[in-house]
Amino acid sequence: MASERGTDFDSLEEMDDISDSGSDFEAQMSSMKRRKPAVSVAAARPPKRPRRKAAARLSSSPSSSPIHTPRGHSPQQQRQQQQPSLGTSRQASLRPVRRGNKGNQYISARDMYDAVCSGKSAMVTVVDDWLDSYKQSREDGLLVLINFIVQCCGCKGVVSREMFDSMQNAEIIGTLTKEFNEDSINYPLSTPGLQWKRFKASLCEFARVLVRSCQSSLLYDEYLFSSLLALLTGLSDSQVRAFRHTSTLLAIKLMSGLVDVAMTVSVQLKTNQRRYDMESSKSAEDKAYDRMEELQTTMTELRENREELSSLMNSIFRGVFVHRYRDQLPEIRAMCIEEIGVWLREDPEDFLSDGCLKYLGWTLHDKQSPVRLQCVRALQGLYQEKEFIGRLELFTSRFKERMLSMVLDKDPDVAVEVVHLLLLIQQRTEDGLREDECGHIYPLVFASHRGVASASGLFLYHKLKTLIDSDSQKKDTGGGSADFLQLLVSFYMQSEFHEHGAYLVDSLWGVAVSELRDWETMTALLLQKEGDRQDLMYEEEGALIELMVCAMRQAAEANPPVGRAQGKKILSMKDKKSQAQDKRRLTAHFIPLLPQLLAKYSADEEKVSLLLKAPLYFDLEAYSSAGRLEKCLDLLLSQVCGIVQKHTVTGVLEACARLASALCSDCYTFSSRARLMFSQLLDRLTECFNTFVNDLLQGTADEDDMYSAATALKRIAAFSSAMDLTGWKLFDPCFQLLKSRVESKDLDKELMVSALKCAAFHLLWAKVNAVSSKPTEVELRRLKKEVRSFCSVCRTCLSLGQAVIRDQAFELLCDLLLLYSVGSFRSEPALQTLAYLPSDPLRSEMAAFLLDYIFTGPEDDELAGENEEEVKISILQRKRNQLAGYCKLVIYGVLDLSAATDVFKHYSKYYRDFGDIIKETISKSKLINPVQSAKTVCLCLQQLFSEMISEDQSREELGEIKDLAKKLAMSFGIDLHRVRKPLVALHTDGIRFAFRDPKEEGPQQPNLAFLEILSEFSFKLIHQDRTLLSEFLKAECPRAALSWPSVRMYRRSLESRSSSRPTEEGGGGSERSSTPSSHDTPVAKRRRPTAKGLASSVSRGSWLDSSSIHSNLPTPALTSTAQRQQAKQVAAVHTRAKDPDKGSDLTEPVSEDEFSQAPQMRKVKPSKRRQPVLSSTRNDLDSHLTLLSLIEEDNMEEEPEIEDFESDSDHDTHFSMPSTHYTSNSLLEDLF
């Protein structure tokens, strides 16, 4: 088998060594002259045998293809029998060709095209009608088929009979290329829309039906398919994308049809051979010699047919596929790889070898995700067949590493299919994947993309089931849900992704259906006694509880966890029914067992916090529907109250409060019982707190009293966030406690934070009650006084040294100011007196809090500890919440827009931490008041500039301010007419600030350098406003200062485009068209090309170098020929045409050693095509430029670089998530 592989490699490499630059089309480009008329193809009748004809003209030897060709004819005989290839052309007439015989009318090219476009006609009928015309006159029929193909390419021309008889293939294609003229930017295969999707499907069906209809006779007439494939081969090498795309699609679809026919012929040949062998094995008396002769004749004919099919397939493979699988256009590469997957699967004897598999291996490195996706899907089809596994061994060993790295593909669809492919390799191959190789896939169960996570969950599930089956065979026991759950718990604990149990459950939810819904096994494992066979360890119990609660949430809500929801999913009736059934079943199971679980784990903070979430996923109506469950409700309530009395951890208390709020809801009939139970609990807690309040206020309480009061108040504060506790009248004692503690500087964190929470939530619930009821004037005055008193205490707390108290006061203050703002009472005129506007001292304190504690780095004492990174993340999260609270006060009008200057000035410096919040605040402020927002932007820059001057800092500080100005300028958007007034207001304020009168004994014009900062906003101005601001600058600026550098720089920024006609005056301008240029020179026209070459002069007439080339020569509007040159390559791009094979950046190894051992090759250096020679005549020049306008230039479709799929980290680091960062290739892509 090794020798066979080596032969395949050598043959395929010989194919790849064929230079694309030697095509007939390029020779036509180089000479630009017509050859002498060739002998008419129609008049040349080929001999009957041998069968190697024009379709095999590219073959150098029978051994140069992976397709087996029966021996019998020498290469010299084959070359002698080649006939001139046919091409397509176009004349001035746009009428479709309609040929008839003896007055009869047959189907025309236009009729066939319309039938394919509509997608409603049966392709069998279309093909049969065309075959009727072909049988009458094969030249006329072939001409109709040629014109049909030309129309499918989007070309409106036709090939006349005169051209058909006198011109060769390359000449006709060259004529078509020069005269190609498209009306739109799309050709049929590239046009979006449902109709054109049907067109592609119909065209593929046409090719399939054509082969099937001709498989009995015309497929072997040595004329039709040989001529057709010669045409398609020539078109597939065209520089015009429409020709190349359409012809390649037809060629490979014909190849797929030929593969099917070849397999049928091979089966018939084997059947006849078996019959012949059976007949020949009989004795002489029993032999039927006439039957044997008949079988021998049939086999000879079948062998000849198989030889002809192999010749046709070989020509397509070598003439089309070998070149187009690395085409510049990703769609062409993708469909080539899709079809070779079909050939490998349908005809493994001819194709399934290392010589063909290498194309799939190389394409795994393609830069475009659709191509990689088709490649992976093709491999899936191969690995699904068990009989193919042996032939895939070398391929698997060579490209396994690449496939493992592709699980982190930037395209999630590719990553999903790769995981499925690796699962097939794991299941079907003998060696499978090693444990370290599986480690590439395991972490993806925690990925944010649900498709990737579900595919990885399927892989993990099969891996765990395999381990269970192997263990059960060794122990002769059946592996059940208990074993699966224990293995899953072990995996979760070892994954180091704790607190992500919901993501693991969601990944396995679709495959581990019975195991994750096996509530009986879960609770049995948790409630079993110590010493049992399946006794869990302490950590395993916590992990199992977390996974169990996550599974309950998934079953009850049927929603993925946060971050995995891809749009709002509407459940079907079947899903809703299944969800309701799951919810009823888990409710019936857990209601009697939950009190037992709470009792067992009541002392464990983490476990009891998780278990307290379980009732939130119950169908709580079940407590009132069955009388026997009322006892379970009483047990649950008593357990919750006991947990409240036992714990002081905030997380546990908040879980109890949420459960209490759910159970006390008025929608349940048992809510009165729950409300009574929790009211008694709160009475006891309030009594305990009130017992020590007087001692605390007088300062006579000892440590035990203070601890008792603090713990009681902490429990009350937790419940006040979820329940209305205004009836317990806790505001006054809490406020007095806060006031006395602040005055005495005796700050107890637990006590102060709890008192702040109780007082704040009292005011928040009071506002809710005031809206729902009609309070008296006395109650309103008291509430208003309480609000002001509390805000005063919070303002004092903002300057305290205790970070916990300070942060809590700021967060509560933001919420309270928003809830009691003027805007919140617009719908309640009777409550307008409750509106509270923050005082100037309070505003100052809040602004100082921003600067001192948010826009700063974490302090050293905060980072002290082992988990420094976790602390940093928690601190950043807290700061983001605080900044968001402050920004909401600005957006909702509680604070003036000028208060946002303290936020805007940090936009650049803290962009990584708070950029999204600040950007959204800027955007919202523009909607509130565009002019005032622009003035606020200017004010923040003025403040920074003033600070720079007062601190006497260097020019580096000025550069940082200019960088901030650039970022803020980009926030004004691209509709320049909409932002005219805001920008003019910004500039006028800036100019006035720059020329403000200096203070006494100060330097003259100290703010003049501010104009350099202001110039960063000039590119957003339209022409009229530039002129207006220039006049305003002259009026404000002293005459002597006009020559100063800063003033001159600002004037240049205003006048840089005044000499040229502004493009934005015609309507809503764009950011690109309105940006200032560094040059005032008008755009230069292209010079007349000379015989030595083409020269072009491009003026940089805009802020971004222009990529347009202006010409006096008419250039047709084309789809595949849009020129996109970079500014530095404008001159060079006119003298060369792009090789369509350069697009995929694939490298082809030239030996078997490189396939099996060499490192992965990423890029190819394709050979350049010969440059076309220019004629000195004007006519030749015109035709040449028109031709070049059809050719895809070097920079026409520069494909974006993709990130390297292979992780640079060590394999021990298993948990790198898929990359979602995309890199832009140009500034325009970043801007638009």
Side-chain angles (χ1 to χ4, degrees):
M1 183 172 179
S3 61
E4 294 176 1
R5 291 179 179 173
T7 301
D8 289 337
F9 279 114
D10 297 337
S11 63
L12 263 293
E13 296 312 326
E14 289 178 20
M15 283 190 267
D16 296 342
D17 289 339
I18 295 178
S19 173
D20 294 333
S21 61
S23 65
D24 294 336
F25 172 66
E26 188 166 79
Q28 176 69 14
M29 282 179 50
S30 302
S31 63
M32 296 299 297
K33 296 180 180 180
R34 298 192 179 186
R35 300 178 183 176
K36 295 180 179 180
V39 179
S40 172
V41 176
R45 298 281 179 165
K48 188 66 178 177
R49 290 289 183 266
R51 297 176 174 272
R52 307 295 285 271
K53 295 302 170 190
R57 49 192 280 266
L58 292 176
S59 302
S60 59
S61 67
S63 63
S64 62
S65 171
I67 306 169
H68 175 68
T69 303
R71 308 271 180 183
H73 302 285
S74 67
Q76 289 78 9
Q77 289 176 318
Q78 297 166 17
R79 285 193 290 268
Q80 290 172 2
Q81 294 158 3
Q82 291 178 0
Q83 64 182 32
S85 58
L86 293 175
T88 57
S89 178
R90 172 190 171 184
Q91 286 184 330
S93 174
L94 299 181
R95 290 180 302 173
V97 173
R98 183 184 294 270
R99 294 286 182 180
N101 187 44
K102 299 181 181 181
N104 296 327
Q105 293 288 324
Y106 295 104
I107 190 169
S108 67
R110 185 66 189 180
D111 296 334
M112 297 172 65
Y113 178 77
D114 291 340
V116 171
C117 280
S118 66
K120 299 178 180 179
S121 303
M123 288 300 109
V124 176
T125 304
V126 176
V127 172
D128 288 345
D129 292 344
W130 175 81
L131 286 176
D132 291 340
S133 65
Y134 179 81
K135 292 174 182 178
Q136 295 292 332
S137 173
R138 68 179 189 174
E139 289 80 12
D140 291 344
L142 182 58
L143 185 60
V144 170
L145 184 60
I146 290 173
N147 282 290
F148 164 69
I149 294 173
V150 172
Q151 290 191 31
C152 289
C153 294
C155 182
K156 294 184 178 180
V158 296
V159 180
S160 67
R161 180 59 181 266
E162 183 180 321
M163 297 175 66
F164 178 75
D165 293 339
S166 62
M167 298 178 68
Q168 292 191 14
N169 194 30
E171 294 174 320
I172 296 177
I173 295 176
T175 304
L176 277 174
T177 302
K178 288 187 292 184
E179 298 179 0
F180 199 98
N181 186 20
E182 301 171 78
D183 293 336
S184 67
I185 62 172
N186 292 312
Y187 53 94
L189 283 182
S190 67
T191 305
L194 183 60
Q195 176 186 355
W196 298 108
K197 288 183 179 179
R198 288 199 299 263
F199 170 82
K200 181 178 180 180
S202 299
L203 189 60
C204 297
E205 177 69 9
F206 175 85
R208 187 185 66 84
V209 173
L210 178 62
V211 175
R212 188 179 62 187
S213 300
C214 298
Q215 64 180 342
S216 300
S217 58
L218 294 180
L219 193 58
Y220 314 108
D221 71 348
E222 302 175 355
Y223 176 75
L224 172 60
F225 277 86
S226 298
S227 304
L228 176 61
L229 294 182
L231 163 71
L232 295 177
T233 302
L235 286 174
S236 69
D237 195 41
S238 172
Q239 299 281 346
V240 179
R241 181 186 299 183
F243 286 156
R244 204 169 67 250
H245 192 177
T246 308
S247 61
T248 302
L249 176 65
L250 282 170
I252 61 176
K253 289 298 179 180
L254 288 174
M255 175 77 159
S256 299
L258 293 174
V259 169
D260 291 337
V261 175
M263 290 302 297
T264 302
V265 172
S266 297
V267 171
Q268 293 175 352
L269 184 59
K270 291 179 181 179
T271 302
N272 283 274
Q273 183 66 49
R274 188 170 58 252
R275 292 175 179 173
Y276 181 84
D277 294 341
M278 291 176 61
E279 194 68 29
S280 62
S281 63
K282 295 179 181 179
S283 60
E285 297 82 11
D286 297 332
K287 285 182 180 180
Y289 290 98
D290 53 346
R291 174 63 175 164
M292 291 177 62
E293 184 178 355
E294 180 183 350
L295 289 173
Q296 185 66 41
T297 304
T298 303
M299 287 190 296
T300 301
E301 184 179 355
L302 289 174
R303 289 192 185 98
E304 291 176 351
N305 291 345
R306 188 66 174 85
E307 177 186 353
E308 182 68 21
L309 291 171
S310 298
S311 175
L312 295 174
M313 291 190 294
N314 179 57
S315 66
I316 296 177
F317 191 89
R318 298 194 64 255
V320 179
F321 174 82
V322 170
H323 305 294
R324 298 281 68 81
Y325 89 97
R326 55 180 182 179
D327 193 274
Q328 180 194 17
L329 192 64
E331 289 84 351
I332 296 179
R333 303 202 300 272
M335 66 187 188
C336 285
I337 295 303
E338 181 182 6
E339 290 305 311
I340 196 177
V342 175
W343 308 337
L344 289 165
R345 190 171 60 254
E346 297 296 329
D347 189 3
E349 295 299 326
D350 287 333
F351 289 95
L352 190 57
S353 63
D354 297 329
C356 287
L357 287 172
K358 65 181 181 181
Y359 294 105
L360 295 179
W362 296 338
T363 315
L364 289 173
H365 297 276
D366 197 280
K367 296 168 65 176
Q368 297 297 322
S369 59
V371 185
R372 299 194 302 274
L373 182 63
Q374 292 297 339
C375 182
V376 174
R377 287 176 175 170
L379 290 173
Q380 288 178 0
L382 299 180
Y383 280 98
Q384 285 174 351
E385 305 294 335
K386 290 184 178 180
E387 58 270 20
F388 294 170
I389 300 300
R391 301 189 185 187
L392 295 169
E393 287 180 358
L394 180 59
F395 178 88
T396 305
S397 62
R398 171 64 181 84
F399 292 101
K400 184 192 292 185
E401 183 180 355
R402 172 63 185 151
M403 290 185 281
L404 288 170
S405 68
M406 288 180 68
V407 299
L408 300 181
D409 196 285
K410 64 167 31 173
D411 189 333
D413 294 334
V414 177
V416 169
E417 298 300 330
V418 170
V419 174
H420 289 314
L421 174 61
L422 291 172
L423 177 59
L424 288 173
I425 294 176
Q426 169 72 13
Q427 293 176 330
R428 301 302 173 91
T429 60
E430 184 177 353
D431 297 333
L433 298 177
R434 301 190 307 272
E435 192 61 31
D436 61 323
E437 293 172 338
C438 295
H440 288 76
I441 307 171
Y442 293 154
L444 298 181
V445 296
F446 301 100
S448 59
H449 190 274
R450 198 179 190 194
V452 176
S454 298
S456 304
L458 178 63
F459 185 92
L460 174 62
Y461 177 79
H462 283 284
K463 184 67 175 179
L464 296 180
K465 295 296 286 185
T466 302
L467 294 175
I468 293 172
D469 293 341
S470 61
D471 290 343
S472 61
Q473 290 177 2
K474 293 178 181 178
K475 300 177 182 179
D476 295 331
T477 58
S481 297
D483 295 331
F484 178 84
L485 291 171
Q486 286 182 318
L487 282 177
L488 183 62
V489 166
S490 300
F491 169 81
Y492 180 55
M493 292 174 60
Q494 296 172 11
S495 66
E496 300 177 5
F497 273 89
H498 295 294
E499 300 180 4
H500 291 74
Y503 294 87
L504 176 59
V505 170
D506 182 64
S507 301
L508 293 167
W509 193 250
V511 58
V513 179
S514 58
E515 291 86 350
L516 292 179
R517 292 176 174 84
D518 193 351
W519 318 119
E520 292 80 5
T521 302
M522 294 181 185
T523 51
L525 289 172
L526 292 173
L527 292 175
Q528 65 185 348
K529 298 179 181 180
E530 295 183 4
D532 290 350
R533 184 180 65 87
Q534 294 180 329
D535 187 21
L536 298 176
M537 298 176 61
Y538 176 81
E539 295 82 3
E540 292 176 336
E541 290 178 337
L544 179 57
I545 290 174
E546 182 177 357
L547 295 177
M548 180 184 71
V549 174
C550 292
M552 294 173 66
R553 188 204 67 81
Q554 189 87 0
E557 298 179 356
N559 289 323
V562 177
R564 277 199 185 163
Q566 299 175 349
K568 188 175 181 181
K569 181 181 178 181
I570 300 177
L571 296 178
S572 62
M573 293 301 297
K574 181 180 180 181
D575 293 337
K576 290 181 179 179
K577 184 177 180 180
S578 176
Q579 175 193 357
Q581 184 178 358
D582 288 341
K583 193 170 185 177
R584 286 194 301 269
R585 198 168 70 84
L586 73 88
T587 300
H589 176 75
F590 277 100
I591 281 182
L593 294 180
L594 183 59
Q596 300 179 37
L597 293 170
L598 290 174
K600 180 176 180 179
Y601 298 105
S602 60
D604 192 302
E605 299 169 359
E606 296 182 0
K607 296 181 179 125
V608 78
S609 299
L610 292 169
L611 290 172
L612 287 170
K613 296 179 182 179
L616 301 178
Y617 311 124
F618 289 177
D619 181 9
L620 294 178
E621 284 289 351
Y623 280 113
S624 57
S625 60
R628 61 184 178 83
L629 297 180
E630 293 182 358
K631 184 178 180 180
C632 297
L633 176 62
D634 293 337
L635 290 174
L636 175 63
L637 293 173
S638 62
Q639 286 292 336
V640 173
C641 293
I643 291 170
V644 173
Q645 295 282 10
K646 190 179 297 184
H647 290 276
T648 59
V649 179
T650 303
V652 178
L653 296 177
E654 289 178 351
C656 292
R658 285 193 294 269
L659 178 56
S661 176
L663 294 175
C664 294
S665 177
D666 294 332
C667 61
Y668 302 118
T669 57
F670 59 82
S671 61
S672 58
R673 300 175 62 183
R675 200 175 294 114
L676 175 62
M677 182 74 75
F678 289 117
S679 297
Q680 294 174 354
L681 172 64
L682 290 170
D683 288 339
R684 293 194 296 269
L685 294 175
T686 305
E687 183 180 357
C688 177
F689 170 68
N690 290 330
T691 303
F692 303 104
V693 167
N694 292 331
D695 294 338
L696 292 172
L697 293 175
Q698 296 173 7
T700 59
D702 55 14
E703 293 184 2
D704 293 339
D705 295 342
M706 186 176 295
Y707 175 78
S708 300
T711 53
L713 193 59
K714 188 175 184 179
R715 295 183 177 109
I716 295 172
F719 275 87
S720 65
S721 63
M723 301 174 65
D724 182 10
L725 302 185
T726 53
W728 278 263
K729 302 185 183 302
L730 293 170
F731 178 82
D732 289 335
C734 290
F735 174 72
Q736 294 298 329
L737 184 61
L738 289 170
K739 186 177 180 181
S740 64
R741 289 286 165 173
V742 169
E743 292 174 353
S744 63
K745 304 297 182 182
D746 184 10
L747 306 177
D748 181 84
K749 291 188 292 185
E750 293 287 343
L751 189 62
M752 292 285 289
V753 170
S754 300
L756 283 170
K757 286 183 178 180
C758 283
F761 283 119
H762 174 90
L763 297 177
L764 298 179
W765 282 109
K767 161 72 183 301
V768 175
N769 295 334
V771 172
S772 60
S773 60
K774 294 183 178 180
T776 62
E777 284 292 328
V778 177
E779 292 174 340
L780 289 178
R781 284 197 298 271
R782 185 176 68 250
L783 181 57
K784 183 177 180 180
K785 180 181 178 182
E786 290 175 348
V787 171
R788 280 154 178 74
S789 302
F790 181 75
C791 290
S792 177
V793 171
C794 286
R795 179 174 66 84
T796 308
C797 292
L798 293 181
S799 58
L800 296 179
Q802 294 285 352
V804 179
I805 300 174
R806 189 174 60 228
D807 294 337
Q808 188 66 64
F810 185 84
E811 294 170 6
L812 293 173
L813 193 57
C814 290
D815 293 339
L816 196 66
L817 289 176
L818 190 61
L819 199 61
Y820 280 89
S821 64
V822 176
S824 65
F825 292 104
R826 286 174 184 166
S827 60
E828 301 288 341
L831 303 178
Q832 289 288 346
T833 56
L834 292 178
Y836 176 71
L837 289 176
S839 60
D840 291 339
L842 181 57
R843 296 169 189 257
S844 301
E845 286 290 344
M846 296 184 74
F849 184 90
L850 279 183
L851 301 178
D852 296 339
Y853 304 113
I854 294 180
F855 294 114
T856 56
E859 300 177 1
D860 294 337
D861 57 344
E862 292 179 321
L863 297 179
E866 298 179 357
N867 302 325
E868 183 176 335
E869 289 298 324
E870 294 182 6
V871 173
K872 283 184 179 180
I873 293 174
S874 63
I875 292 174
L876 178 60
Q877 209 167 15
R878 186 194 70 212
K879 288 183 177 182
R880 286 175 58 84
N881 290 335
Q882 293 168 352
L883 179 62
Y886 184 86
C887 292
K888 282 192 289 186
L889 296 180
V890 176
I891 292 172
Y892 287 98
V894 179
L895 300 177
D896 296 334
L897 279 180
S898 59
T901 56
D902 295 321
V903 178
F904 293 173
K905 65 176 63 173
H906 296 93
Y907 183 39
S908 181
K909 186 176 181 180
Y910 289 91
Y911 184 81
R912 181 177 179 181
D913 294 337
F914 311 115
D916 55 337
I917 299 175
I918 300 176
K919 183 177 181 180
E920 185 67 16
T921 305
I922 295 173
S923 176
K924 295 293 184 182
S925 67
K926 294 182 187 302
L927 297 177
I928 297 171
N929 191 330
V931 175
Q932 189 61 36
S933 175
K935 290 186 174 183
T936 304
V937 169
C938 186
L939 179 60
C940 83
L941 295 173
Q942 293 172 13
Q943 292 176 357
L944 288 174
F945 185 82
S946 300
E947 293 174 6
M948 182 191 72
I949 294 177
S950 62
E951 297 174 3
D952 195 17
Q953 297 184 4
S954 62
R955 298 280 298 182
E956 294 181 1
E957 184 71 18
L958 180 62
E960 294 179 3
I961 300 176
K962 291 175 70 174
D963 290 340
L964 173 61
K966 290 178 183 177
K967 275 188 173 292
L968 293 173
M970 299 303 294
S971 67
F972 283 88
I974 61 175
D975 189 353
L976 302 188
H977 283 270
R978 187 173 61 86
V979 296
R980 283 186 63 184
K981 290 183 179 179
L983 282 171
V984 171
L986 183 147
H987 278 270
T988 53
D989 281 5
I991 293 172
R992 290 193 183 100
F993 174 77
F995 296 106
R996 182 180 297 170
D997 293 336
K999 298 179 180 179
E1000 296 181 1
E1001 300 180 358
Q1004 188 177 5
Q1005 302 295 342
N1007 300 336
L1008 205 59
F1010 186 76
L1011 292 176
E1012 298 182 25
I1013 300 172
L1014 198 61
S1015 64
E1016 299 294 341
F1017 295 88
S1018 298
F1019 77 100
K1020 291 287 186 179
L1021 295 168
I1022 64 174
H1023 177 62
Q1024 299 94 317
D1025 296 337
R1026 290 169 184 269
T1027 306
L1028 179 65
L1029 288 172
S1030 296
E1031 297 298 328
F1032 182 74
L1033 176 66
K1034 293 177 182 178
E1036 292 288 327
C1037 177
R1039 184 177 298 276
L1042 288 174
S1043 60
W1044 292 358
S1046 298
V1047 179
R1048 289 164 54 194
M1049 178 182 179
Y1050 181 64
R1051 290 184 68 185
R1052 281 199 305 269
S1053 71
L1054 293 177
E1055 297 171 359
S1056 60
R1057 296 182 59 190
S1058 60
S1059 60
S1060 61
R1061 183 178 181 181
T1063 59
E1064 65 274 13
E1065 293 180 13
S1070 68
E1071 188 170 302
R1072 174 182 169 188
S1073 62
S1074 305
T1075 345
S1077 171
S1078 57
H1079 295 271
D1080 301 336
T1081 314
V1083 177
K1085 294 184 178 180
R1086 190 173 66 184
R1087 302 174 188 170
R1088 182 185 299 273
T1090 62
K1092 295 181 179 179
L1094 293 175
S1096 61
S1097 174
V1098 180
S1099 170
R1100 299 187 332 190
S1102 65
W1103 68 285
L1104 191 64
D1105 290 346
S1106 174
S1107 62
S1108 301
I1109 297 179
H1110 302 273
S1111 173
N1112 293 325
L1113 299 174
T1115 302
L1118 301 166
T1119 65
S1120 60
T1121 60
Q1123 299 179 3
R1124 210 187 70 176
Q1125 300 91 344
Q1126 296 179 358
K1128 295 181 180 180
Q1129 300 173 340
V1130 172
V1133 84
H1134 279 273
T1135 59
R1136 60 182 174 170
K1138 169 130 184 172
D1139 186 343
D1141 297 340
K1142 287 180 64 175
S1144 63
D1145 277 3
L1146 297 176
T1147 298
E1148 300 187 23
V1150 295
S1151 68
E1152 180 180 1
D1153 295 335
E1154 291 195 15
F1155 174 73
S1156 59
Q1157 298 176 3
Q1160 296 175 2
M1161 308 294 287
R1162 291 304 183 96
K1163 295 189 177 180
V1164 68
K1165 296 181 180 178
S1167 58
K1168 295 182 180 178
R1169 289 183 177 268
R1170 291 171 292 177
Q1171 297 181 354
V1173 180
L1174 299 180
S1175 173
S1176 59
T1177 63
R1178 180 58 186 262
N1179 292 336
D1180 286 342
L1181 176 63
D1182 290 345
S1183 63
H1184 180 71
L1185 291 177
T1186 305
L1187 173 63
L1188 284 182
S1189 68
L1190 288 163
I1191 296 174
E1192 300 171 73
E1193 303 293 356
D1194 280 339
N1195 298 302
M1196 175 183 151
E1197 283 206 0
E1198 184 178 354
E1199 298 168 339
E1201 290 288 343
I1202 68 170
E1203 296 176 7
D1204 194 17
F1205 297 99
E1206 295 158 354
S1207 177
D1208 293 330
S1209 60
D1210 187 60
H1211 288 297
D1212 293 336
T1213 306
H1214 296 300
F1215 301 105
S1216 57
M1217 291 294 104
S1219 171
T1220 57
H1221 301 285
Y1222 291 81
T1223 305
S1224 299
N1225 283 335
S1226 65
L1227 180 59
L1228 291 179
E1229 292 180 9
D1230 291 335
L1231 293 178
F1232 307 104

